[in-house]
Amino acid sequence: MGDDHAMQTEAACSILTIDLTAVTDNWRLLRDRAAPAACAAVVKADAYGLGIDPVAPALADAGCTLFFVATLDEGLRLRGLLPQVEVAVLGGLLPGTAPIFLRDRLIPVLNDLGQVERWRAETAKAGQAAPAILHVDTGMNRLGLDPQETEKLAADPALLEGIEITYVMTHMACPDEPSHPLNAAQLTRFRVALASLPGAKGSLAASSAIFLGPDYHFDLVRPGAALYGVNPTPGAPNPMRQAVRLEGRVLQVRHVDRGEGVGYGATRRCDKPSKIATVATGYADGYLRALSNRGVARIAGHEVPMIGRVSMDLLTFDVTDLPEGLVYPGGLMELLGEGYTPDDAARDAGTIGYEILTSLGSRYARHYIGAGA
């Protein structure tokens, strides 16, 4: 096993190291901040690109008992990994899927009255009550019961016969902007919806809303991106630990004359005799093309700028000012890590840290360290 691991590392052109202890520490921080509310974990999109197979068991070992995924197939995969935990599927109950949910003990998030009816019919046919989470829309206008559907449900409790509503949830549109007026509006609408469904527990906050204060915590919080190190409080210091480190292997170091272009389109020209390191990572690995001429890398504490466009398999960095011998073929340069985080890359690419993480490609040699690795 050890020899195979070493060979994989040597053969790989890029190495992605994922710190499971950082992930579990982040979950504990959010759990403690939201207490006495319970704390779930959102592990959709392959745990935001970090790998659900190692991440979810590490979170379960840390004490997490309720997990959210986006789709039924993600739910089935997680059920196979963790038979003992609760698994909720945010995408809801599509036609024909109710027997699968019941068979595999998956909790559907019911997003409209049609889904409510399908689940009620399935529980009646099985002769057993079954859990579900009811999703009411309070202003996101994507999934969830609209206000008229919520009123209809509240007026006719028989529509929920045989359904054990474990939580009523909603999802916030602007929680990363604390002063946005929609936050208070959604909070008020959610309280009204909860009051119309007596006895129901509430779940409002995902990652950023946890930091809006106790009024937003209710009975359950559902952090996702913050678990993996994305800053839930943009504009303020990141309270979360970084969970990923991406290193790319140097293929070649070459000297380029003043005035010569680098990369496709010759979008950058050297303004002096320069030394360029070419690294074996590209947009096929999820390193976004929008980082062309904007990204940075680090080596031995030194930061170096990207020069030229991101191509499918290659990046180029200006290493002219580095000490001689520091960059060499076969060596590694840090592309993401403590010094240049997914949030930093997102800023330079004009996107969000969520996209940086979920774009991480399949060609990396993935190494897991820390809890349960």
Side-chain angles (χ1 to χ4, degrees), residues 57-82:
L59 287 165
D61 288 344
C64 185
T65 59
L66 173 58
F67 293 80
F68 283 82
V69 295
T71 63
L72 176 55
D73 57 342
E74 289 180 342
L76 293 171
R77 180 176 174 187
L78 184 54
R79 171 56 70 230
L81 283 172
L82 297 173

Side-chain angles (χ1 to χ4, degrees), residues 90 109-111 133-137 143-145 168-171:
L90 291 162
V109 174
L110 304 177
N111 293 304
I133 293 173
L134 193 65
H135 184 183
V136 298
D137 178 59
L143 295 176
L145 280 76
V168 175
M169 65 165 279
T170 195
H171 197 57

Side-chain angles (χ1 to χ4, degrees), residues 104-371:
D104 289 278
R105 297 177 293 110
L106 301 175
I107 301 172
V109 174
L110 304 177
N111 293 304
D112 58 46
L113 289 181
Q115 294 186 14
V116 171
E117 171 56 28
R118 283 195 286 276
W119 196 231
R120 187 174 69 83
E122 189 64 28
T123 61
K125 185 169 66 175
Q128 65 181 77
I133 293 173
L134 193 65
H135 184 183
V136 298
D137 178 59
T138 57
M140 177 73 90
N141 290 308
R142 297 187 314 182
L143 295 176
L145 280 76
D146 62 32
Q148 293 73 32
E149 288 182 305
T150 303
E151 289 174 8
K152 184 174 181 180
L153 206 58
D156 188 359
L159 294 173
L160 292 173
E161 284 182 1
I163 302 176
E164 177 194 346
I165 299 297
T166 57
Y167 293 99
V168 175
M169 65 165 279
T170 195
H171 197 57
M172 298 190 66
C174 309
D176 55 343
E177 302 176 55
S179 62
H180 198 291
L182 189 53
N183 292 332
Q186 286 195 262
L187 177 61
T188 298
R189 294 169 190 167
F190 188 58
R191 284 174 170 158
V192 170
L194 274 182
S196 72
L197 299 163
K201 293 182 178 180
S203 178
L204 174 80
S207 291
S208 291
I210 293 172
F211 293 84
L212 294 178
D215 285 349
Y216 290 81
H217 294 167
F218 290 88
D219 301 290
L220 174 75
V221 297
R222 316 180 307 272
L227 297 175
Y228 313 111
V230 171
N231 189 357
T233 57
N238 190 353
M240 317 313 300
R241 289 186 56 190
Q242 289 303 312
V244 300
R245 184 185 187 205
L246 175 61
E247 298 168 285
R249 199 173 298 281
V250 177
L251 296 179
Q252 187 179 45
V253 181
R254 68 186 304 137
H255 293 274
V256 178
D257 291 338
R258 180 179 182 276
E260 289 291 317
V262 177
Y264 282 119
T267 56
R268 282 287 295 276
R269 294 186 179 277
C270 298
D271 57 9
K272 62 181 179 181
S274 301
K275 187 163 60 174
I276 305 300
T278 300
V279 175
T281 303
Y283 58 73
D285 304 291
Y287 195 96
L288 301 186
R289 192 170 183 269
L291 285 167
S292 298
N293 290 304
R294 295 178 180 176
V296 301
R298 298 181 69 86
I299 183 166
H302 299 273
E303 185 172 284
V304 295
M306 181 183 299
I307 181 170
R309 287 180 178 166
V310 175
S311 56
M312 184 179 290
D313 313 299
L314 302 172
L315 308 173
T316 43
F317 293 93
D318 187 343
V319 296
T320 307
D321 298 328
L322 294 189
E324 193 66 33
L326 196 59
V327 185
Y328 53 88
L332 294 169
M333 297 178 69
E334 184 178 272
L335 306 176
L336 292 174
E338 293 286 349
Y340 189 65
T341 69
D343 287 306
D344 294 330
R347 175 201 64 219
D348 292 341
T351 184
I352 56 176
Y354 297 61
E355 185 179 16
I356 298 296
L357 290 183
T358 57
S359 296
L360 294 171
S362 60
R363 292 197 295 189
Y364 302 130
R366 290 180 174 235
H367 294 171
Y368 291 89
I369 62 175

